[in-house]
Amino acid sequence: MSGYKFIITSDADGKAASAGSAAKSHAIRAGIRNGWMSPGAIGAERSRDTVRCKKELNGRYRLPRDKGTRRDHPNGRDKTGLRQSGRPGRMLAISTTLSETVFDPFDSLPIPQNRQVEELISYFLSRFNLNASSKGPKMLWFPYAMQSVPAMCSTLALTAAYCTAKAPLLEGSNSDLQQEGLRQKGEAMRLIGKWLSQVDVVPQDAQSAFFVTSISTLACVEVLQGNFEAADTHLVGVRNLLHSLGGHERFRDEILCKSINIADILLAAGLGRVPLFPLLHSGAVDLPDEIYKQASEPPLDHLISLGGGSNDLVQIFSYLRQATYAKGSDVVTPESLRILMNLADHCILRHLYGSSCQDTSTSSQRLAIAITLAAHLFMYVILREVPTNSLLVRTMGSRLHKAVQEMVDDEDIWQGHFDALQWIACVGLLGAGTEASDMRDKGQYFVALFESCTVRSRNGLRIEVRDPAELERCLSKFLWDGKRCNRMLQVVVGSGVPVRLDLIENYLFR
């Protein structure tokens, strides 16, 4: 018993008082450390102890009680008005040195705590939405990171990078979080380097999985910060490690596979290339029939002609429509949504940058490329919720802007493709939601493209199509999210600025 001390939790007046937070925290931790028992087992154990110790305890450890206490305070209430315990006495609690930190009183975090660490953990659990629906994935990830110091450090570094990209102009707390994120990234890299230097042959065990997951997470950090070359170095290292362990097929760690896939896909989108890894998920997408029905309307047949008779565009837009409806559903599992988005991403990347990517010699083929780039940008802004201030989204927006610039000089593009051009302009505006000067200019360009498409020729007359319902009907033939897209549409259409064809044409065709 030398490792414990007993605390009498009643004050000098003999009034009962609750145990302190430190004693309570230690009692809970001791229970967790000693293992859990089922409620039935606990009850049976207590009953046996009571029977066994009844005679031994009878008449012992009683405290003297002031007989006038109940008479002085009717109804058993003390001076504070609180009801006293029916069994006054001493409460015994085990106490050792405990953390006084309010956020983590059990000292359960694998890393030292400070205010910035607490804020990053709170942000991760409440507002971190990268590649996640409003439920599920991050609640599975955090307990995983709690088991490893490098995994927790890399997770906090990713949270800081996401928070900074989400609101880079905020000062004070955000700058502190950014610095803490850099410190956590450096600590994770130090631990990974130390681990690699200590092993001649990397063992295939749980510890190795934690370190490989941490490297993949650091790749995501670099992507959000715009350091694509550094992210590529991390992923090449992951590929080499997995190869030395016999290939990724030998790993069945779900969190590890998720971290590799998302880092690989994000980097491929930033660099404009096909992913290094295949999809490592297991299982199939399970969606309600209602979502398949919603995603099939309006039909996507008009995309077949743009794809040169191929169904690639139809498949890509089908995946993205299903993911859009699934993201707002309460019955679709986060795992199904994640797999669906990864399938769509792989299809887009292979279509744009694969060895069999289509030719761009004709106007319809160039338009198909621009539509695919716009679909990719739509996915990252609306579905994956990558911050528009991040260099990743800005790079994708610049890529779309360049593709549009290269095709608008072609008069054939404007024949019968007003809806497609207008939808591309809307997606470009969604991706330009940033204060960066380069994206402000591109945003103005997409506004001009949108405005030019509102003016059309019908029966030899030039008319203006600005009715929100009519515009939404036209734009829904591709991809549309009513909540965010309609908000943006109301700002553009409801601005009340008249269309100036001369200015638009000068801006687009100068």
Side-chain angles (χ1 to χ4, degrees):
M1 299 294 290
S2 60
Y4 305 93
K5 71 176 181 179
F6 292 91
I7 299 176
I8 301 174
T9 57
S10 52
D11 58 22
D13 297 332
K15 298 175 184 176
S18 61
S21 61
K24 289 181 179 179
S25 299
H26 179 77
I28 295 173
R29 291 185 68 194
I32 295 174
R33 189 165 52 245
N34 293 334
W36 291 101
M37 297 175 63
S38 65
I42 294 174
E45 183 70 20
R46 288 177 177 172
S47 297
R48 286 193 295 270
D49 288 343
T50 301
V51 173
R52 185 171 60 252
C53 301
K54 181 177 180 181
K55 292 183 180 180
E56 180 182 351
L57 297 176
N58 189 25
R60 299 176 62 186
Y61 303 110
R62 291 185 178 179
L63 290 176
R65 187 178 69 182
D66 183 2
K67 296 182 179 180
T69 301
R70 291 296 181 103
R71 289 193 299 270
D72 294 341
H73 305 290
N75 301 324
R77 297 182 184 274
D78 60 15
K79 294 178 181 180
T80 63
L82 299 177
R83 181 174 294 277
Q84 295 178 340
S85 170
R87 299 176 60 186
R90 294 178 179 178
M91 299 174 60
L92 302 181
I94 298 172
S95 175
T96 59
T97 303
L98 300 175
S99 169
E100 297 297 331
T101 305
V102 175
F103 185 84
D104 180 30
F106 305 149
D107 277 336
S108 55
L109 289 175
I111 62 174
Q113 301 176 57
N114 56 42
R115 178 182 60 82
Q116 290 80 17
V117 168
E118 294 177 7
E119 288 185 15
L120 287 174
I121 292 176
S122 177
Y123 190 98
F124 178 84
L125 294 175
S126 61
R127 288 182 284 171
F128 186 86
N129 291 322
L130 181 64
N131 197 37
S133 64
S134 58
K135 51 190 183 299
K138 56 191 175 185
M139 298 309 174
L140 298 176
W141 183 282
F142 192 74
Y144 182 89
M146 288 281 287
Q147 304 174 59
S148 166
V149 175
M152 178 58 73
C153 290
S154 60
T155 297
L156 295 184
L158 177 61
T159 305
Y162 180 86
C163 176
T164 303
K166 197 80 172 176
L169 299 181
L170 296 180
E171 298 180 355
S173 177
N174 255 40
S175 61
D176 292 342
L177 296 184
Q178 185 178 14
Q179 293 178 8
E180 182 64 31
L182 293 174
R183 193 182 72 80
Q184 295 291 342
K185 181 172 75 170
E187 180 65 12
M189 294 178 68
R190 185 188 69 80
L191 293 171
I192 292 169
K194 181 179 179 181
W195 172 70
L196 290 173
S197 66
Q198 291 176 346
V199 292
D200 295 329
V201 178
V202 178
Q204 185 179 347
D205 57 11
Q207 193 68 10
S208 298
F210 281 127
F211 276 101
V212 176
T213 300
S214 302
I215 299 172
S216 302
T217 306
L218 289 178
C220 291
V221 175
E222 301 293 358
V223 170
L224 285 182
Q225 293 176 342
N227 304 321
F228 297 147
E229 291 185 5
D232 193 31
T233 301
H234 288 315
L235 271 182
V236 171
V238 169
R239 184 178 61 180
N240 294 339
L241 281 172
L242 293 183
H243 179 73
S244 68
L245 294 171
H248 59 79
E249 298 87 356
R250 299 187 61 183
F251 274 89
R252 292 294 180 264
D253 189 304
E254 182 182 359
I255 301 296
L256 170 64
C257 294
K258 289 179 179 180
S259 65
I260 291 175
N261 269 152
I262 186 59
D264 187 27
I265 288 172
L266 291 179
L267 179 59
L271 292 177
R273 73 179 188 193
V274 295
L276 295 179
F277 294 89
L279 291 177
L280 305 178
H281 62 76
S282 58
V285 177
D286 184 19
L287 300 178
D289 292 339
E290 182 64 23
I291 288 183
Y292 287 114
K293 182 179 179 181
Q294 290 175 320
S296 63
E297 296 294 336
L300 294 168
D301 298 341
H302 59 284
L303 295 176
I304 297 178
S305 60
L306 289 176
S310 171
N311 285 322
D312 288 351
L313 281 180
V314 175
Q315 184 66 72
I316 289 170
F317 276 75
S318 294
Y319 279 145
L320 293 179
R321 280 188 180 181
Q322 292 167 18
T324 301
Y325 287 110
K327 191 174 178 68
S329 172
D330 293 329
V331 298
V332 178
T333 64
E335 184 68 9
S336 292
L337 179 60
R338 180 183 67 85
I339 294 174
L340 192 58
M341 290 195 293
N342 288 352
L343 284 171
D345 230 325
H346 262 247
C347 284
I348 292 173
L349 292 168
R350 286 197 305 269
H351 182 76
L352 289 173
Y353 311 114
S355 58
S356 59
C357 59
Q358 59 179 317
D359 187 18
T360 57
S361 57
T362 67
S363 57
S364 61
Q365 289 169 339
R366 288 195 293 273
L367 180 59
I369 291 294
I371 288 176
T372 308
L373 289 171
H376 208 196
L377 182 59
F378 179 94
M379 177 186 183
Y380 274 64
V381 174
I382 300 296
L383 299 179
R384 291 202 185 277
E385 297 190 36
V386 179
T388 55
N389 292 295
S390 67
L391 191 58
L392 174 59
V393 170
R394 288 161 56 189
T395 299
M396 297 174 71
S398 298
R399 201 175 288 146
L400 175 61
H401 174 252
K402 180 180 178 181
V404 173
Q405 278 187 315
E406 291 175 351
M407 72 178 184
V408 292
D409 290 333
D410 188 346
E411 294 182 0
D412 294 336
I413 289 290
W414 298 89
Q415 302 300 319
H417 297 304
F418 280 103
D419 292 343
L421 291 169
Q422 199 164 44
W423 178 76
I424 290 173
C426 284
V427 176
L429 287 171
L430 285 174
T434 176
E435 293 299 322
S437 59
D438 59 329
M439 291 309 294
R440 279 202 301 268
D441 293 340
K442 294 177 178 62
Q444 294 172 3
Y445 181 91
F446 286 122
V447 168
L449 177 61
F450 178 89
E451 292 286 354
S452 67
C453 293
T454 62
V455 180
R456 313 183 184 190
S457 177
R458 291 182 184 174
N459 300 324
L461 299 176
R462 179 163 287 179
I463 63 171
E464 183 179 349
V465 181
R466 297 185 70 84
D467 177 61
E470 174 69 11
L471 287 173
E472 183 177 351
R473 184 191 65 79
C474 296
L475 299 171
S476 296
K477 293 194 299 185
F478 299 90
L479 285 171
W480 199 250
D481 175 78
K483 183 177 181 181
R484 293 188 63 176
C485 295
N486 283 345
R487 217 168 32 231
M488 181 272 300
L489 195 60
Q490 290 172 0
V491 172
V492 176
V493 177
S495 61
V497 178
V499 177
R500 290 283 304 278
L501 288 180
D502 55 337
L503 295 180
I504 292 171
E505 290 172 356
N506 289 337
Y507 189 83
L508 284 174
F509 303 111
R510 61 185 177 183

